Amino acid sequence: MPTETPGDMPPQSLWRFRRRDRRKFSDPRRSRSSWVRRIAILGSAFALAAIAVYEMEQVLIVGGLTPVEISVLVLFALNFGWIAMAFTSAIAGYGVVMGRLHRPKRTPAGPLGSRTAMLMPTYNEDPSRVFAAVEAMATGLDELRQGPAFDWFILSDTTDPDVALQEEAALLTLRGRLGDRARIYYRRRRKNIARKSGNVADFCTRWGAAYDHMLVLDADSLIAPETIVELARRMEEDPDSGLIQTIPALVNGTTIIARLQQFAGRVYGPVVGAGLAFWTGSEGNYWGHNAIIRTRAFMESAGLPDLPGKPPFGGHILSHDFVEAALLRRAGWTVRIADDLAGSYEESPPSIIDLAVRDRRWCQGNLQHTLVLPARGLHWVSRIHLLTGIGSYLASPLWLMLILAGLVLSLQAHFIRPEYFTEDFQLFPTWPVIDAERAFRLFGLTLVILFGPKFLGLVAFLRNRDDRRTVGGFRTLASFLFEIIISALIAPVMMLVHTGAILSILLGRDSGWKPQRRDDGGVPLRSLIARHRWHFLIGAALLFAAWLDSWVLVAWMSPAILGLLLVVPVSGWTGSNRVGRFVRRMGLLRTPEEVDPPAVARSAAAIRPVYEAAIEVAPDLVTIASDANLRAVHLALIDAVPERKPGKVEAVEALSAAKIDDATSIAEAVSFLTPQERAMVMATPALLSRLSALPT
């Protein structure tokens, strides 16, 4: 690592903030957002929701509203309001995307005058993927003659000692291949305090002051060199800019579930992203990676506090990105979404089960935002971002409750005598009837609002001549229908997954921090049955309840029921690489990046076998402790060990030392150590020296 340039990054108070301390914009005309756009988008969404709720009330009010009907109305209002804003935003995004087709692309020239740290945090990931991506991006920057403006930092939080040694082997390979074309640094923390946000904060407080900007990546990130340069140039040109977030496109999907998200993101994503950027303006959001940040602004104003209480609601903020964006904006820096920039890529989970694991962690982090919402000084749009994150998971139990309330309403009308006398001298009961004609119109409106963003995205994609020629218009239409069908089958499963996650969090269970699978989504049949048994049983219960009323109700509820009854085969097929390859050969779910991969993705894929070979022959701990040369190389890569305070004994370190002292050879000592203890020995020079002193 380079020489440390210590800087302060104080945790920000959520409850104390003085508006007069907020930074003033250098260019207010450029940095302030448009109220007209916000009134148009949010006002239209509110009007749509009001019309829909009124229509629903008129559907139900025939004969008077019963308590169950009131519940249906309230739940409908909450669910419809959620999709209405997405619809009006997508309309604006469609206009932006269409206007951009005829806009000349910017081609700036000249070297950058700033320094940017490229941060690649990694946690027990496959090093071949991480280091191949770094080489591809660094080589591209060198070819653009912009390499000197960027330094590369692999910030490891890896706890698996074998993976850590593979990272070191990959690092040496990367440095050997790049030579002096790029500066590559590596640091592995002894303790991954506060997870990714703590990893980045550790960099900031130790080396961040030496850099104007930092571009935060993820272990599966790829950004085209031209996009990296453009991000840095935009930061240079806008002194008010605190963070610029790209909209990553998904690539490298092999299973149906991964390619489904890949297709949806590529076809519908531009319209959705452009719409969000259109009305949020300077109060955009941050999604944790593939974004460039002004380092000084981040260190001064985005230090995260711990939330009061214990996990899952208290402690470290898991979904740190939304909060960091809100704090940056609170301090007087703009946060923008660069929806016009292509060349930003990431990967997606390969199966429904992997989606569930990821969403469990995200759900907990987003629900923590309920404690951040009342923070002083936040911009109201930042609060909307926080509410949107919370709502993205609360929408599932709300949808489930709406289904159940509608089911109860139908069963009530079928089995219970209408004895709802609301007045003392009422001659006739209030019958639970509905206006069928108005209900049908409302159903049509709901479908338009729900599928409108997808349809607008499809039209925008087909109107782009390059995209249409690359993928094919007919194939895109077939993929559109296929995506809707599979998504409809998956949606009720994810509804129950999210509902279960919320219940788990409310019961006080912490999500933990598990590495994410990236490639293979295959799961044995027994595990699929175990994972999805409750989803199937709930689907069977819904089918039985609907059948008690009528086959018409079964038909109305069939989208939800069918997805739950078929959950095991659907989960297995959508997570299978073999089935994914078959669907790809059929030409379904193709994207332009899959047909013609971007140069940076092709480069990373071509390089990756080199790193796979390097990590195959990575030395183990016994070999390193036994070889003075290997030990010297390893010691050169160890992060600085903080000075121990008197009386403060690290339990894992002490136990490791005791086990080493009990052994008669290096191999025996290593066999005594648990993975956690091996990782501690590798990170502690004194322990490694103690181990190497044993006979071989």
Side-chain angles (χ1 to χ4, degrees):
M1 293 293 282
T3 303
E4 292 191 14
T5 53
D8 194 21
M9 188 173 176
Q12 300 299 305
S13 172
L14 298 178
W15 321 119
R16 292 191 302 274
F17 181 76
R18 295 187 301 180
R19 295 183 183 275
R20 64 174 177 269
D21 292 339
R22 178 179 292 145
R23 175 185 174 275
K24 306 299 181 183
F25 286 142
S26 300
D27 186 353
R29 182 177 299 179
R30 176 181 181 180
S31 299
R32 286 177 182 158
S33 302
S34 168
W35 274 96
V36 175
R37 294 183 178 186
R38 290 173 176 173
I39 292 173
I41 300 300
L42 301 180
S44 299
F46 180 80
L48 272 176
I51 292 170
V53 172
Y54 172 77
E55 289 295 309
M56 176 60 89
E57 182 191 27
Q58 295 303 303
V59 167
L60 298 173
I61 204 171
V62 178
L65 286 176
T66 67
V68 176
E69 288 172 334
I70 292 173
S71 299
V72 170
L73 182 62
V74 171
L75 291 168
F76 174 81
L78 293 172
N79 280 278
F80 195 94
W82 177 255
I83 62 175
M85 192 167 75
F87 177 73
T88 57
S89 180
I91 292 175
Y94 176 80
V96 172
V97 171
M98 288 298 94
R100 190 178 298 142
L101 292 178
H102 310 290
R103 189 185 304 166
K105 294 184 178 180
R106 175 185 176 190
T107 54
L112 294 167
S114 57
R115 295 188 68 198
T116 300
M118 302 292 296
L119 308 187
M120 176 65 90
T122 180
Y123 173 70
N124 293 327
E125 298 279 354
D126 181 353
S128 67
R129 176 195 305 275
V130 173
F131 286 84
V134 170
E135 180 177 340
M137 291 184 281
T139 301
L141 288 172
D142 178 68
E143 291 171 353
L144 293 176
R145 298 184 179 179
Q146 298 284 8
F150 299 90
D151 287 358
W152 293 84
F153 292 83
I154 292 90
L155 304 178
S156 175
D157 257 351
T158 292
T159 56
D160 186 321
D162 297 324
V163 175
L165 291 175
Q166 292 172 2
E167 289 174 354
E168 293 182 6
L171 173 71
L172 297 176
T173 302
L174 176 62
R175 285 179 172 173
R177 288 173 59 84
L178 288 179
D180 59 0
R181 291 183 293 163
R183 293 178 293 274
I184 310 293
Y185 302 106
Y186 172 85
R187 185 271 288 128
R188 183 173 75 88
R189 289 200 295 172
R190 299 172 85 237
K191 295 182 180 180
N192 46 32
I193 298 170
R195 308 184 187 189
K196 182 177 178 178
S197 62
N199 197 358
V200 173
D202 178 76
F203 165 82
C204 289
T205 56
R206 297 172 65 184
W207 298 281
Y211 296 91
D212 301 290
H213 321 125
M214 58 182 183
L215 202 158
V216 182
L217 302 165
D218 214 346
D220 59 350
S221 293
L222 274 173
I223 304 184
E226 297 82 3
T227 304
I228 294 173
V229 173
E230 175 63 15
L231 286 169
R233 199 177 299 281
R234 290 187 183 188
M235 292 295 283
E236 289 182 349
E237 293 174 351
D238 183 3
D240 292 325
S241 184
L243 186 150
I244 303 175
Q245 171 70 65
T246 64
I247 301 180
L250 299 176
V251 294
N252 298 333
T254 56
T255 65
I256 289 179
I257 196 70
R259 297 185 68 243
L260 195 80
Q261 296 174 88
Q262 193 169 284
F263 175 84
R266 183 60 174 83
V267 176
Y268 319 138
V271 163
V272 174
L276 183 64
F278 175 81
W279 72 268
T280 58
S282 301
E283 289 76 39
N285 208 357
Y286 175 37
W287 301 317
H289 55 88
N290 292 33
I292 192 168
I293 304 172
R294 192 175 302 276
T295 312
R296 177 173 65 86
F298 191 78
M299 293 174 64
E300 290 177 352
S301 60
L304 293 176
D306 284 347
L307 296 177
K310 296 181 179 179
F313 285 98
H316 302 305
I317 299 175
L318 300 187
S319 293
H320 55 91
D321 36 18
F322 282 41
V323 180
E324 288 162 343
L327 292 174
L328 278 168
R329 184 62 192 86
R330 182 177 77 165
W333 301 94
T334 64
V335 177
R336 295 189 181 276
I337 298 173
D339 63 292
D340 61 320
L341 275 185
S344 176
Y345 309 102
E346 63 174 335
E347 298 178 11
S348 61
S351 72
I352 292 176
I353 290 176
D354 290 293
L355 274 176
V357 171
R358 184 196 67 179
D359 281 7
R360 173 61 179 82
R361 184 177 68 251
W362 286 6
C363 179
Q364 180 176 329
N366 284 16
L367 292 187
Q368 284 182 310
H369 293 167
T370 55
L371 302 180
V372 180
L373 269 174
R376 292 179 61 86
L378 297 186
H379 195 281
W380 66 271
V381 175
S382 297
R383 297 187 202 274
I384 287 181
H385 289 309
L386 295 172
L387 277 171
T388 301
I390 297 168
S392 63
Y393 291 96
L394 290 183
S396 289
L398 289 175
W399 180 27
L400 178 60
M401 287 190 288
L402 180 60
I403 291 174
L404 295 178
L407 182 60
V408 169
L409 184 63
S410 298
L411 293 175
Q412 171 186 273
H414 189 86
F415 289 104
I416 300 177
R417 289 191 305 164
E419 298 176 351
Y420 302 107
F421 290 92
T422 58
E423 299 179 9
D424 293 338
F425 301 101
Q426 185 174 338
L427 294 178
F428 301 99
T430 302
W431 293 75
V433 295
I434 64 172
D435 184 336
E437 182 181 350
R438 194 184 291 267
F440 187 77
R441 291 202 307 266
L442 181 59
F443 176 70
L445 174 64
T446 303
L447 288 181
V448 169
I449 300 300
L450 183 61
F451 290 101
K454 290 191 175 189
F455 181 75
L456 291 171
L458 175 68
V459 173
F461 183 87
L462 292 176
R463 289 188 64 181
N464 187 310
R465 183 180 303 174
D466 293 338
D467 290 345
R468 187 177 67 250
R469 286 178 176 177
T470 302
V471 178
F474 176 78
R475 283 197 178 96
T476 301
L477 290 174
S479 299
F480 175 73
L481 295 175
F482 183 76
E483 187 272 334
I484 287 178
I485 293 170
I486 301 300
S487 294
L489 291 173
I490 293 172
V493 180
M494 297 309 298
M495 172 188 70
L496 294 183
V497 165
H498 292 166
T499 302
I502 290 173
L503 290 175
S504 172
I505 292 165
L506 293 176
L507 290 173
R509 297 171 186 163
D510 190 16
S511 68
W513 193 19
K514 299 176 182 177
Q516 183 174 304
R517 293 198 303 173
R518 304 285 184 185
D519 299 308
D520 184 14
V523 178
L525 179 60
R526 180 176 296 180
S527 297
L528 285 173
I529 294 173
R531 293 267 190 164
H532 295 301
R533 63 188 185 278
W534 287 109
H535 304 148
F536 174 83
L537 291 174
I538 291 173
L542 287 176
L543 174 61
F544 178 72
W547 173 80
L548 288 176
D549 180 85
S550 68
W551 286 109
V552 174
L553 184 58
V554 171
W556 273 98
M557 295 185 62
S558 60
I561 292 172
L562 195 61
L564 296 175
L565 293 180
L566 296 178
V567 60
V568 171
V570 168
S571 182
W573 295 337
T574 56
S576 166
N577 280 333
R578 181 172 57 84
V579 177
R581 288 192 295 268
F582 174 74
V583 170
R584 180 173 181 173
R585 287 195 297 270
M586 292 175 62
L588 294 174
L589 303 177
R590 284 187 178 178
T591 63
E593 289 76 17
E594 184 176 71
V595 177
D596 182 20
V600 68
R602 290 198 304 269
S603 176
I607 295 165
R608 189 169 176 179
V610 174
Y611 292 95
E612 291 174 338
I615 66 178
E616 279 290 325
V617 296
D620 58 15
L621 181 56
V622 173
T623 305
I624 289 174
S626 304
D627 187 302
N629 292 329
L630 292 177
R631 191 163 62 252
V633 171
H634 172 78
L635 288 170
L637 299 177
I638 289 180
D639 192 23
V641 178
E643 184 178 350
R644 184 174 66 84
K645 295 181 180 179
K648 296 289 185 180
V649 178
E650 176 66 46
V652 176
E653 185 176 348
L655 192 56
S656 302
K659 288 184 178 181
I660 292 172
D661 291 341
D662 275 354
T664 59
S665 68
I666 293 175
E668 184 181 42
V670 172
S671 71
F672 290 164
L673 301 173
T674 65
Q676 184 184 20
E677 290 161 356
R678 279 192 288 140
M680 177 60 72
V681 170
M682 289 164 46
T684 310
L687 288 178
L688 186 59
S689 176
R690 205 165 183 163
L691 176 64
S692 63
L694 293 173
T696 57

